[in-house]
């Protein structure tokens, strides 16, 4: 595959470029296409690789050094998400899920929670998932139906969560639930639920995209969770969840850019080497149009992603920029993958080649962390100052 070097405007300094090159070299050596194909076939992720990625800051990189992280900028993190997506969409997804829990525990966790859960997460000794979506609840976070009732020092949690990434593998689940106690009457709170707690059950859900990410349906049948496992005060679950969405949206946007760049690089190589009618197919006008259209989308998506990351570095909420970046990059990546499949012809359908996987996985990017429709409404609200969301 042709080596891609991002435009200099998208890279802050030489140190970041060196980090990018180190990451790309490591992933090319350790996550070969053969190894990825095997994992896709079995549905398993090579978990040891997460520990090896610690050296680059993929576990807790956005945390301050005092908190056990690397103090990375959002722009550097955006580059890292693109590099992970370029290698393998499933890897980028697990990095995103893991760091979501890391960020939440760092921001809201107690000293006990940081010692018991955060430190093992940073050391890749614990796997996590986030219990947010439900059979009847997707984009409307406020509509969560799972309940947590406080009795004698324990929260009794009952409900079901669906489409939970890494739910099959997770040792702990960060669960969002309506809370009922002397101080709360249905406000949302977050709880750490361990997989071995009685009443907790995870069932694997087979799906088209990101197959090795262990998506699950999780049932909570009167799970007794110690009061000390509540993350932060009662009632801050919604604000805590929404606060992390902007970062997650940039993560998805830049991961999509990486996937799109991989599809583009594969297509450029194929167009140069595949011959029809005695000459490379890249010399045909319509194939060149595909390649140019793909390139435009990749560059535009990358620019939007870095713009959003820069706003976050400036301390802004950047809801408009993050939503637009996620909206455009996710759609553009799927369009690029679609055109890449067209360039590759019948070869693109084969599971022996990465285009088939990239095509499936990029379609999945338009749904998590708010669907494309929700991103449109968020951006519209920010631009107009008028909300179309009930």
């Amino acid at each position: 595959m042709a080596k891609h070097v991002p435009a200099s405007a998208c890279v802050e300094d030489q140190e970041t470029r060196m980090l990018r090159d180190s990451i790309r070299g490591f992933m090319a050596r350790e996550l070969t296409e053969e190894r990825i194909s095997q994992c896709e076939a079995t549905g398993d992720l090579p978990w040891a690789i997460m520990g090896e990625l610690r050296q680059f800051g993929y576990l807790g990189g956005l945390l301050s050094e005092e908190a056990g992280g690397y103090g990375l900028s959002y722009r550097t993190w955006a580059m890292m998400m693109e590099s992970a997506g370029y290698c393998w969409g499933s890897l980028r997804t697990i990095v995103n899920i893991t760091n979501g829990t890391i960020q939440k525990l760092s921001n809201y966790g107690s000293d006990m929670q940081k010692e018991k859960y955060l430190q093992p997460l940073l050391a890749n000794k614990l796997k996590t998932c986030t219990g947010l979506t439900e059979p009847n609840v997707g984009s409307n976070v406020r509509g969560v139906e799972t309940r947590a009732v406080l009795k004698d020092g324990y929260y009794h949690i009952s409900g079901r969560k669906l489409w939970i990434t890494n739910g099959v593998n997770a040792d702990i689940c960060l669960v969002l639930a309506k809370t009922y106690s002397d101080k709360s009457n249905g406000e949302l709170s977050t709880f750490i639920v361990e997989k071995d707690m009685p009443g907790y059950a995870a069932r694997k859900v087979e799906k088209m995209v990101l197959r090795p990410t262990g998506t699950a349906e999780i049932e909570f049948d009167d799970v007794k969770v110690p009061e000390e496992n509540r993350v932060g005060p009662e009632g801050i679950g919604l604000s805590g969840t929404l606060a992390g969405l902007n970062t997650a949206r940039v993560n998805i946007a830049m991961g999509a850019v990486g996937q799109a760049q991989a599809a583009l690089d594969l297509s450029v190589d194929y167009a140069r080497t595949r011959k029809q009618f005695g000459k490379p197919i890249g010399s045909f006008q319509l194939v060149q149009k595909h390649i140019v259209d793909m390139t435009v989308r990749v560059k535009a998506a990358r620019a939007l992603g870095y713009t959003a990351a820069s706003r976050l570095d400036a301390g802004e909420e950047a809801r408009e920029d993050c939503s637009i970046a996620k909206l455009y990059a996710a759609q553009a990546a799927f369009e690029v993958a679609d055109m890449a499949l067209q360039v590759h012809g019948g070869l693109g359908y084969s599971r022996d080649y990465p285009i088939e996987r990239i095509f499936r996985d990029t379609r999945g990017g338009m749904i998590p962390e708010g669907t494309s429709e929700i991103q449109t409404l968020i951006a519209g609200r920010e631009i107009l100052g008028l909300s179309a969301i009930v």
Side-chain angles (χ1 to χ4, degrees):
M1 187 186 301
K3 183 178 180 181
H4 162 65
V5 179
S8 59
C10 294
V11 180
E12 291 182 346
D13 50 37
Q14 184 177 2
E15 183 177 352
T16 305
R17 291 194 294 272
M18 291 175 62
L19 176 61
R20 179 206 64 218
D21 291 343
S22 296
I23 291 170
R24 291 290 179 90
F26 173 84
M27 290 184 176
R29 292 190 304 272
E30 300 298 324
L31 289 170
T32 61
E33 183 56 37
E34 180 181 4
R35 188 178 185 186
I36 292 173
S37 295
Q38 290 173 349
C39 291
E40 288 282 330
T42 61
D44 298 320
L45 198 82
W47 283 97
I49 204 74
M50 291 289 289
E52 296 174 27
L53 288 173
R54 283 184 299 163
Q55 62 184 302
F56 304 111
Y58 274 102
L59 292 178
L62 288 172
L63 302 187
S64 66
E65 294 183 11
E66 293 77 12
Y70 291 74
L72 299 176
S73 68
Y74 284 104
R75 285 178 62 87
T76 299
W77 187 252
M79 176 275 293
M80 292 167 60
M81 291 300 100
E82 178 180 348
S83 296
Y86 187 90
C87 174
W88 189 14
S90 290
L91 176 66
R92 201 280 318 161
T93 299
I94 294 299
V95 169
N96 187 37
I97 293 296
T98 303
N99 280 279
T101 298
I102 287 172
Q103 287 286 127
K104 189 158 291 184
L105 290 179
S106 179
N107 291 337
Y108 304 105
S110 65
D111 290 341
M112 180 280 291
Q113 292 167 358
K114 290 177 180 178
E115 180 178 353
K116 186 176 181 180
Y117 303 112
L118 177 58
Q119 292 307 315
L121 282 169
L122 290 171
N124 194 39
K125 295 180 179 180
L126 203 64
K127 302 181 185 72
T128 183
C129 66
T130 299
L132 180 60
T133 56
E134 300 181 355
N136 297 322
V137 179
S139 299
N140 180 22
V141 179
R142 292 177 177 85
V144 162
E145 297 172 351
T146 299
R147 295 165 58 91
V149 181
L150 183 61
K151 297 178 183 177
D152 301 324
Y154 289 87
Y155 286 96
H156 293 249
I157 299 181
S158 298
R160 292 167 62 205
K161 300 291 182 177
L162 186 59
W163 308 119
I164 307 305
T165 303
N166 207 34
V168 169
N169 308 307
D171 300 302
I172 62 171
C173 180
L174 231 58
V175 180
L176 190 69
K178 286 186 175 177
T179 312
Y180 296 90
S181 69
D182 292 339
K183 299 178 181 179
S184 179
N185 184 30
E187 287 77 22
L188 294 173
S189 304
T190 302
F191 304 90
I192 303 170
V193 182
E194 299 177 10
K195 69 175 183 179
D196 294 329
M197 290 177 174
Y200 180 101
R203 178 184 65 84
K204 187 173 184 179
V205 177
E206 299 290 351
K207 64 185 191 307
M208 179 181 73
V209 303
L210 303 170
R211 289 173 175 167
T213 57
T215 298
E217 177 182 26
I218 302 179
E219 183 173 355
F220 304 89
D221 184 8
D222 194 30
V223 182
K224 288 178 62 177
V225 179
E227 190 171 359
E228 64 185 15
N229 275 35
R230 187 189 69 236
V231 181
E234 288 184 336
I236 70 162
L238 178 61
S239 60
T241 298
L242 296 178
L245 285 179
N246 283 336
T247 302
R249 285 164 181 160
V250 174
N251 291 347
I252 290 179
M254 294 306 295
V257 170
Q259 291 174 295
Q261 185 67 59
L264 172 58
D265 287 351
L266 288 164
S267 299
V268 168
D269 284 351
Y270 189 75
R272 286 171 173 165
T273 57
R274 171 65 168 167
K275 291 185 177 180
Q276 286 289 327
F277 305 105
K279 57 183 179 180
I281 64 171
S283 64
F284 301 149
Q285 291 180 0
L286 293 180
V287 172
Q288 289 198 3
K289 175 171 171 48
H290 281 315
I291 297 298
V292 171
D293 287 346
M294 294 161 73
T295 301
V296 169
R297 284 165 173 77
V298 170
K299 290 190 173 185
R302 181 179 293 115
L304 288 170
Y306 273 104
T307 295
S310 296
R311 295 286 172 83
L312 292 175
D313 278 329
E316 302 176 25
E317 289 189 353
R319 284 189 294 265
E320 176 186 330
D321 290 288
C322 293
S323 288
I324 288 176
K326 196 268 183 181
L327 170 66
Y328 182 80
Q331 292 180 338
F334 182 63
E335 291 170 359
V336 169
D338 184 44
M339 286 184 276
L341 196 152
Q342 196 71 18
V343 170
H344 281 77
L347 192 65
Y349 291 120
S350 173
R351 290 188 178 182
D352 293 332
Y353 295 89
I355 290 298
E356 183 268 346
R357 180 183 72 249
I358 294 171
F359 179 82
R360 287 186 289 102
D361 287 351
T362 52
R363 182 58 183 86
M366 289 185 269
I367 295 176
E369 313 299 351
T371 64
S372 295
E373 291 79 8
I374 289 295
Q375 301 309 319
T376 299
L377 296 180
I378 292 172
R381 181 185 63 198
E382 296 300 310
I383 295 167
L384 294 169
L386 300 170
S387 179
I389 304 175
V390 178

